[in-house]
Amino acid sequence: LTLGLNIRSGNTDQVDYNAKAYLRRQTSFSRFIADYVGNISNTSDVETINNHRVSATADRFKTRRFFFRPLFGEYYTDKFSNIDSRVTVGTGLGYTIIDTRRTEWDITGGPGYQATRFVSVQPGENIKETTPALVLGTDYEIELTKKLDFIYQYTTTWVNKASGGYTHHMVTTFESEITKLFDFDISFIWDHTSSPTAADDGTVPFPDDYRLTVGITYEY
C-alpha cells in the first residue's frame, strides 16, 4: 500500500492525494493479483484531478512458466478525460520469461470486451460504446540492490476508434527500503489514448496524461 499527500496553503490552497495498492496471493498452481491506482487533486476548492483504476487477474499455471488466465478485468474512471466509466473483461494466456530470486518477468495477452460510458458527447454521438478488445501486457520486477527494487508494468488495449482506439497504461516504479515494513516509492505513470472522445462543448481531451508520484509504501 502506497500513499502520497501534498498540501499547499497561502496564495494557493491545494491538496494532492495519490494512492496505489497491490495484492497478490500465489500457490504452486494458481495466482491472484489485484491492483489499484488513484489520484485526486483540489485547488482552491476546485477539483482538478480525479481518476481511479482497479484491475484484477486470476491465473492457473499449467507448467512452471506457462499459465492460463481464465479471467481478467479492469475498471477505470477519469471525468477530466471524459470517461465516466470504462470496464474491460477478458481471458488470455501468459508466459513467465524469467523467474529467479532477483527477477520476475511475465508477458500476457488475450481477447476481451470493453464497455465505455462517457461523461458527455457531441450531438449525434453515442454516450456509451461497446467493442471487442485485444489486451497485451508485461510485468517486470528486479531487485537492483538489497534495498532498491525496480518495477515495470505495461498494458496496451486495442479497441475501435469510437472507444478510444489504441490505449496504454504504464507504471515505472523505484522502491527503496527504509525499514523491513516501509519503502520510499517514486513512480512515473503514463496513460495514453490515441482517439479521445470530444465532450458536448467540443473540448477534446489530451491523448496523454503523465504523473510523477512520491509516497511511502507499507508492505506486509
Side-chain angles (χ1 to χ4, degrees):
L1 177 65
T2 304
L3 297 175
L5 182 66
N6 177 47
I7 300 175
R8 181 181 301 170
S9 182
N11 293 316
T12 301
D13 295 324
Q14 182 172 333
V15 177
D16 299 321
Y17 155 84
N18 63 79
K20 294 193 302 175
Y22 180 83
L23 175 67
R24 171 170 160 170
R25 182 184 186 276
Q26 183 163 341
T27 70
S28 299
F29 301 100
S30 65
R31 177 174 60 188
F32 173 78
I33 298 174
D35 198 28
Y36 167 77
V37 178
N39 300 273
I40 298 174
S41 182
N42 285 274
T43 303
S44 301
D45 295 326
V46 177
E47 189 175 68
T48 55
I49 297 173
N50 191 333
N51 56 70
H52 305 271
R53 185 188 301 269
V54 182
S55 62
T57 61
D59 298 327
R60 295 289 298 178
F61 285 89
K62 299 303 181 181
T63 68
R64 185 172 179 270
R65 296 185 179 273
F66 177 77
F67 57 90
F68 172 53
R69 179 162 286 180
L71 181 66
F72 66 82
E74 180 186 87
Y75 171 81
Y76 179 66
T77 178
D78 184 357
K79 68 178 185 180
F80 293 98
S81 295
N82 197 27
I83 298 175
D84 183 58
S85 65
R86 186 175 70 199
V87 178
T88 308
V89 295
T91 186
L93 301 173
Y95 186 79
T96 299
I97 298 176
I98 302 175
D99 183 12
T100 66
R101 184 181 61 82
R102 295 182 59 248
T103 307
E104 293 182 19
W105 184 12
D106 289 345
I107 56 173
T108 58
Y113 171 85
Q114 187 177 94
T116 305
R117 178 175 291 276
F118 303 104
V119 176
S120 65
V121 294
Q122 293 188 300
E125 299 294 329
N126 296 324
I127 194 70
K128 183 179 180 179
E129 292 286 346
T130 59
T131 175
L134 175 64
V135 182
L136 306 173
T138 186
D139 292 275
Y140 179 80
E141 182 173 351
I142 184 171
E143 183 183 291
L144 298 174
T145 68
K146 290 184 178 180
K147 292 186 177 294
L148 182 64
D149 294 338
F150 172 74
I151 303 169
Y152 179 81
Q153 298 169 296
Y154 180 86
T155 303
T156 177
T157 305
W158 297 80
V159 294
N160 61 18
K161 185 175 181 181
S163 298
Y166 160 77
T167 66
H168 75 225
H169 173 64
M170 186 190 80
V171 182
T172 302
T173 303
F174 285 95
E175 285 186 355
S176 178
E177 182 180 312
I178 301 174
T179 68
K180 290 184 178 180
L181 294 178
F182 292 97
D183 294 340
F184 178 71
D185 181 296
I186 299 177
S187 295
F188 173 72
I189 302 172
W190 176 20
D191 289 315
H192 173 77
T193 301
S194 64
S195 301
T197 298
D200 54 2
D201 61 358
T203 302
V204 179
F206 288 106
D208 295 288
D209 279 317
Y210 306 100
R211 293 186 297 278
L212 184 68
T213 65
V214 178
I216 299 296
T217 299
Y218 173 68
E219 292 188 357
Y220 60 92

